[in-house]
Amino acid sequence: GGEIWVESEQGLGTTFSFTAIFGKAEDHLQNQQLNTLEHLNVLVVDDNKSSREIMSCMLDSLSYTTTTVTSGLEAIAEVEQAEQQQHAYDLIIMDWKMPGMDGVETIRKLQDDPQVVNVPTIVMVTAYGKEELAEKAKDIGQLSFLTKPTNASFLFDTIMNAFGQKVTSRSRRTERQEDYLEAVNLLRGANILLVEDNEINQELALELLANGGINATLAENGQEAVDKIQQHVFDGVLMDIQMPVMDGYSATKIIRKLEVGKELPIIAMTANAMTSDVENAQQAGMNDHISKPINVAEMFVTMAKWITPATPVSDSAQPEKRPVQTQQEPELELPQLNGIDTHAGLRITQGNKKLYHRLLIKFMDSEQNFSEKFQQAQLSDDTDAATRVAHTLKGVAGNIGAHDIQKAAQALELACNDNREQKQIEVLLNAVETTLTPVLTSLKQLRPTLQQTSVNTKKTDPEKLAPMFDKLLSLLLDDDADAVDVLEEIIELIGINAEAGRLKQLEKLIQQYAYDEAIEIVQAIQENLS
């Protein structure tokens, strides 16, 4: 019922305005409920420092008294001491996946602890499937669940429910979270063709899909997608638009003419999100559109609207992913990085610091010579090549949280699309380099120097390596991206010696998802070890 308009004057700027009619908000009933649970004494148990700090801040905003510990053993000792001192905890916010003793085991020990007369109300927190956690803890009564990432409103609702208080209003955040969890459950077991030419976007998307229980096959351009759809059966396709050899629009039009592609769900997945881009995708025969940088919840919800697995897998049937290391390793801490919003990047990778670390290093390696790549693209016979180079930088910069680079690359892309004069394009290319150079310099601190890397000139004991290579082979046979983490441990154990070069080659194959070749190398190494 409103209006929207724009007023613009050259040299002064532009004002966008709109009017809208809103209904009156309901009374803040949650504030009344808050009074019924004032002054709660809360214990937060989480091995991740950032998670502890975030949770503490949210609980402080609710005026609760908060104590934090880093492990299950510390939690048990803290609860015992608090009860002895007659300052018992009312509530425990307990992370599930912790090294050593996980959250479920900690609760069981608390319930069996003779020194704890009254076990506090407990909310279990997980970044994984809530249904999987519920299955693991089905023998534990009166347990509430909270899924990461969360916010104060969603946390408050969960606490209210845990204490039996009726929550009278549903926040949009709550509904979105439930939609996301439902979408993940509906998509488990789906076979998806991911069509993407950029290595960074490939790794990110494949990891996110794998974490959601989705089997993904990679095609690096539209022609590969057309070929693979005729060779294999897929439940759906995630299609990038701007690619070499054949773009996403052309590929979709060809697929729609194939018998196997007439009803196949095809969803555009691109950094182009203008209305015209959405319309072009629809005209090409695509069902929907997912924007980059990726919003994980929106991606799964959009996919679930169109894609139904031919062989669905229930959440409880998913194998539990356990830490591959036998001893607790220090948490990977990211340094302060110039020009990069690491919080935004970690949101996209769902808090996976190892994955994010790999993406940042790949970004540094792939964009060192951006200007050279762009200028070569301008000289090529492919009229879209320069636009595609700028478009790719825009997309990957968004996915790692490099917002200034993303904006500069977008301006360069639009100039190429509009066939601007070469002088204007050179100015915009310089602007990209101005934002890109300090970021690349800052990222160099992520790569360990020779002095920081352990040097091992002696041959490592085969008895130590054999089980690690067994684990690596098992993960590769399961197409599990966790294989790269196991290989990193092996490389760290071996250090710098003759074998390290071969393992670096293996690491590259795994990062490129060339699992068949990687399996052959691992099997050859196992023969040598035995």
Side-chain angles (χ1 to χ4, degrees), residues 390-407:
H391 172 84
T392 299
L393 177 62
K394 178 184 74 173
V396 295
N399 279 334
I400 65 167
H403 303 309
D404 290 341
I405 297 174
Q406 181 186 6
K407 291 174 186 175

Side-chain angles (χ1 to χ4, degrees), residues 37-232:
L37 289 176
E38 284 185 323
H39 310 305
L40 288 183
N41 192 15
V42 186
L43 178 65
V44 175
V45 188
D46 200 314
D47 62 303
N48 184 284
K49 181 181 178 182
S50 299
S51 296
R52 291 196 303 273
E53 290 175 353
I54 292 168
M55 189 65 70
S56 293
C57 287
M58 288 190 290
L59 291 165
D60 289 344
S61 73
L62 298 173
S63 301
Y64 296 155
T65 302
T66 308
T67 304
T68 64
V69 294
T70 62
S71 69
L73 287 173
E74 285 184 49
I76 293 170
E78 182 67 33
V79 171
E80 289 175 349
Q81 183 179 356
E83 189 161 301
Q84 290 169 7
Q85 296 176 350
Q86 298 184 341
H87 295 294
Y89 286 100
D90 305 300
L91 172 68
I92 300 177
I93 307 289
M94 178 87 70
D95 188 40
W96 174 23
K97 292 289 183 79
M98 295 185 292
M101 183 189 299
D102 69 17
V104 174
E105 186 181 352
T106 302
I107 294 171
R108 292 195 181 111
K109 289 190 179 296
L110 276 173
Q111 290 179 334
D112 295 337
D113 191 339
Q115 297 184 56
V116 179
V117 178
N118 296 307
V119 177
T121 299
I122 299 175
V123 172
M124 284 288 291
V125 183
T126 177
Y128 304 85
K130 190 165 66 173
E131 291 79 7
E132 181 185 356
L133 172 55
E135 178 67 22
K136 296 290 180 187
K138 62 184 179 182
D139 59 316
I140 300 174
Q142 303 298 316
L143 198 58
S144 297
F145 302 103
L146 180 68
T147 306
K148 296 177 185 176
T150 189
N151 63 16
S153 175
F154 196 61
L155 172 64
F156 175 79
D157 287 351
T158 305
I159 293 172
M160 289 296 108
N161 286 322
F163 281 94
Q165 299 288 322
K166 185 179 179 183
V167 178
T168 55
S169 64
R170 286 172 55 80
S171 67
R172 276 190 164 189
R173 173 70 176 84
T174 305
E175 292 172 358
R176 283 198 299 268
Q177 185 76 8
E178 290 178 356
D179 289 344
Y180 163 61
L181 293 173
E182 183 183 3
V184 171
N185 221 22
L186 290 172
L187 288 166
R188 289 190 189 281
N191 289 307
I192 300 297
L193 179 64
L194 173 69
V195 191
E196 170 64 63
D197 67 306
N198 179 265
E199 192 176 332
I200 296 173
N201 291 335
Q202 288 170 4
E203 179 161 7
L204 174 61
L206 288 168
E207 185 91 10
L208 295 175
L209 293 170
N211 287 344
I214 294 171
N215 306 307
T217 300
L218 179 65
E220 297 197 349
N221 58 62
Q223 183 59 59
E224 273 192 34
V226 173
D227 295 340
K228 290 191 175 183
I229 280 168
Q230 295 177 85
Q231 298 163 3
H232 307 282

Side-chain angles (χ1 to χ4, degrees), residues 270-371:
T270 175
N272 288 347
M274 301 291 286
T275 304
S276 58
D277 300 312
V278 178
E279 290 173 353
N280 289 337
Q282 291 172 341
Q283 289 171 6
M286 297 183 181
N287 299 84
D288 215 323
H289 183 278
I290 295 170
S291 298
K292 298 174 187 173
I294 294 170
N295 179 308
V296 181
E298 289 179 7
M299 179 179 80
F300 278 96
V301 169
T302 301
M303 289 173 63
K305 280 168 56 180
W306 304 100
I307 297 170
T308 302
T311 53
V313 176
S314 66
D315 189 66
S316 59
Q318 288 287 105
E320 180 185 2
K321 288 198 172 185
R322 299 185 182 276
V324 293
Q325 64 271 13
T326 55
Q327 59 184 12
Q328 183 176 355
E329 61 179 34
E331 182 187 341
L332 177 64
E333 291 294 342
L334 293 168
Q336 187 71 35
L337 297 171
N338 294 332
I340 293 183
D341 181 351
T342 54
H343 294 293
L346 285 169
R347 277 198 301 272
I348 291 171
T349 61
Q350 295 187 299
N352 187 332
K353 287 186 178 180
K354 281 192 173 182
L355 170 61
Y356 187 45
H357 188 271
R358 292 201 301 268
L359 296 181
L360 290 171
I361 288 180
K362 280 189 176 181
F363 180 84
M364 176 178 62
D365 292 340
S366 65
E367 304 306 333
Q368 290 282 358
N369 59 340
F370 174 79
S371 289

